[in-house]
Amino acid sequence: MKSPARASQHLKGIRSSARVVAGENMNGHQSENEGQHLRELEEVREALRLSEERNRAIVETAVNAIITINERGIIESVNSATVRMFGYAKEEMIGRNVSMLMPSPYREQHDGYLGNYLRTGERKIIGIGRETLAQRKDGTVFPMDLSVGEVKLPRGRIFAGIIRDITDRKELEQQILGISEEAQHRIGQDLHDDLCQQLAAIGCLAKVVLQRLESTRSAESTSVAEIVKLITQANTRAREMSRGLVPVVLDSEGLMAALNELVAGTERIFRVSCRFRCDPPVHLYENKTATQLYRIAQEAVGNAIKHSHATRLEIQLAQQGGMLQLTIRDNGIGIPDHSPHKGTGMGLYTMGHRAKMLGGQLHVGPDVYGGTVVQCEVPMPDHHSHS
């Protein structure tokens, strides 16, 4: 039988051994838990790495150019398609203002647009997209489709732009539009050379008959006089239609002259007030731009009279820096939806398409004085560019 002293020592030894064993078990569990956490952390890191590699590969292999900029417009990243599209190396673009990829006057306007959005939240491109112009390293300008998205981060926000070169599409559209213009030109020429000449000949013969009837004081002279009047009116209308189909003469003042004729014809035919203002004169040497701007004015005037029931119209042509501005105002009842892209008819769609073909924009909205204002703004063509 153990003595109390020896029993106490034995119990202390057992307790000490129990604490050692318990400590070893506790440390073992801690080590196992820490190992599990480390393995899970490593798995998360690996998943993030694979996701980052996947996203980087998607961006790098994208056909379209992808550019990210910060709130100051400084380029933070570009993909390989951007290098191929613009001709710059990545190192030449990263750290510089994205306006380096734009021609004038867009280059000078860009920071103002970005600053205005940051102050007011008013979106003009961000989240909307638009067709505009870009400039390569070698100075060549090309049309692009630009979509811009915004990402808000704890350190600020970034903007991601996706750019698609639409040169081929624009060239095809130009060819289609050129074919259409050629067809209209041919019809207008045929009207002038054939129908108008025949009407003129018939009118001359009718006048001869009228003179003979009047000399004999025939009762039929009144009816023949009415026929002569109608033939003359028909000939005048046919000539106006001919000039409408072949509106712009190939010289620097062709657009101003054509718009003056449009105004005069509108007043004569529709009995409305129509004015043309162009002060100072705008000399346009590029016939394609002149013709398309005339078509826009022609369509806007027709819409104002037919759909808005306008009785007073004004056409204004001006040059602001490197941009041409064509503005048509009316006092009509307005257009229910002032967006040219939301099903307001083929007329507005066609005007918007013509403006885009010239690298510009069309804005349709209510005038502050009532009625509707249509404004088209396009880059001023090069002085030496003739069509």
Side-chain angles (χ1 to χ4, degrees):
M1 188 173 182
K2 295 180 180 178
S3 66
R6 292 187 63 183
S8 176
Q9 289 178 353
H10 181 65
L11 181 59
K12 287 179 181 179
I14 291 173
R15 287 174 177 170
S16 176
S17 298
R19 283 195 297 270
V20 170
V21 171
E24 288 176 351
N25 288 339
M26 187 179 295
N27 290 336
H29 284 304
Q30 287 177 343
S31 298
E32 185 177 345
N33 289 337
E34 288 175 0
Q36 179 67 21
H37 289 319
L38 289 173
R39 284 192 296 273
E40 290 176 356
L41 182 59
E42 188 60 32
E43 288 175 1
V44 171
R45 286 175 177 169
E46 180 66 12
L48 287 173
R49 186 183 65 80
L50 291 174
S51 176
E52 185 178 350
E53 287 182 358
R54 187 183 304 110
N55 291 334
R56 188 183 297 115
I58 292 171
V59 171
E60 276 298 307
T61 57
V63 176
N64 298 326
I66 300 176
I67 302 173
T68 61
I69 64 171
N70 62 19
E71 293 177 331
R72 294 180 292 116
I74 303 301
I75 298 174
E76 293 190 344
S77 68
V78 298
N79 66 346
S80 297
T82 309
V83 175
R84 293 192 298 271
M85 186 177 293
F86 288 93
Y88 290 99
K90 289 185 178 182
E91 296 75 18
E92 293 179 286
M93 291 183 279
I94 294 174
R96 294 184 60 186
N97 195 294
V98 71
S99 62
M100 68 179 287
L101 305 178
M102 306 171 188
S104 293
Y106 306 108
R107 178 181 299 155
E108 293 78 15
Q109 297 170 349
H110 175 265
D111 287 350
Y113 288 146
L114 184 58
N116 181 68
Y117 170 70
L118 294 174
R119 286 192 306 273
T120 66
E122 181 184 356
R123 296 170 178 256
K124 292 190 176 180
I125 299 179
I126 297 167
I128 301 171
R130 66 183 289 186
E131 291 182 6
T132 184
L133 297 175
Q135 182 171 304
R136 296 187 175 92
K137 183 178 181 179
D138 62 8
T140 58
V141 176
F142 65 97
M144 68 171 178
D145 185 84
L146 173 64
S147 301
V148 181
E150 179 183 6
V151 180
K152 293 182 180 179
L153 301 172
R155 63 181 179 86
R157 65 181 111 185
I158 63 171
F159 301 95
I162 300 176
I163 299 171
R164 184 160 55 94
D165 186 341
I166 55 175
T167 301
D168 292 342
R169 193 186 82 193
K170 287 298 182 183
E171 288 177 352
L172 179 59
E173 290 176 351
Q174 292 275 15
Q175 292 174 13
I176 294 171
L177 201 57
I179 293 170
S180 173
E181 290 296 337
E182 288 175 8
Q184 291 189 47
H185 188 281
R186 186 173 62 253
I187 294 169
Q189 203 68 46
D190 289 344
L191 279 173
H192 180 272
D193 297 342
D194 188 4
L195 180 60
C196 290
Q197 300 305 320
Q198 290 190 39
L199 287 172
I202 294 169
C204 289
L205 292 173
K207 286 179 182 179
V208 171
V209 173
L210 176 61
Q211 290 172 357
R212 290 178 180 175
L213 291 173
E214 287 177 340
S215 65
T216 60
R217 296 182 180 180
S218 171
E220 301 296 330
S221 62
T222 303
S223 298
V224 175
E226 184 65 22
I227 292 172
V228 170
K229 178 182 175 182
L230 292 173
I231 291 173
T232 302
Q233 290 177 350
N235 193 14
T236 301
R237 184 70 183 112
R239 290 183 184 278
E240 288 173 346
M241 290 173 63
S242 172
R243 284 196 294 270
L245 290 167
V246 192
V248 181
V249 180
L250 186 56
D251 60 43
S252 65
E253 298 183 4
L255 179 58
M256 291 187 291
L259 291 175
N260 262 319
E261 282 196 13
L262 176 63
V263 164
T266 300
E267 286 192 321
R268 183 170 57 253
I269 296 169
F270 298 103
R271 308 295 181 187
V272 297
S273 171
C274 192
R275 294 187 304 163
F276 173 59
R277 292 198 298 124
C278 187
D279 186 23
V282 175
H283 296 281
L284 184 58
Y285 295 86
E286 208 272 327
N287 203 50
K288 180 190 74 176
T289 301
T291 300
Q292 297 309 319
L293 288 176
Y294 176 86
R295 297 293 184 210
I296 290 171
Q298 191 179 41
E299 185 69 44
V301 168
N303 284 344
I305 294 172
K306 295 174 187 175
H307 304 300
S308 295
H309 309 296
T311 58
R312 188 172 64 253
L313 301 97
E314 179 184 272
I315 302 174
Q316 182 178 2
L317 181 65
Q319 181 179 352
Q320 297 286 339
M323 303 297 287
L324 271 173
Q325 290 182 345
L326 174 68
T327 306
I328 302 95
R329 287 186 168 87
D330 68 69
N331 69 337
I333 60 175
I335 301 172
D337 184 349
H338 296 291
S339 170
H341 307 292
K342 295 184 179 179
T344 54
M346 280 301 295
L348 291 179
Y349 176 82
T350 302
M351 287 192 291
H353 180 72
R354 290 184 186 277
K356 287 181 180 179
M357 288 288 295
L358 299 174
Q361 293 290 318
L362 183 82
H363 304 282
V364 182
D367 195 356
V368 292
Y369 302 107
T372 302
V373 57
V374 177
Q375 186 171 65
C376 177
E377 188 175 68
V378 301
M380 184 72 175
D382 179 42
H383 177 86
H384 303 289
S385 176
H386 290 261
S387 176

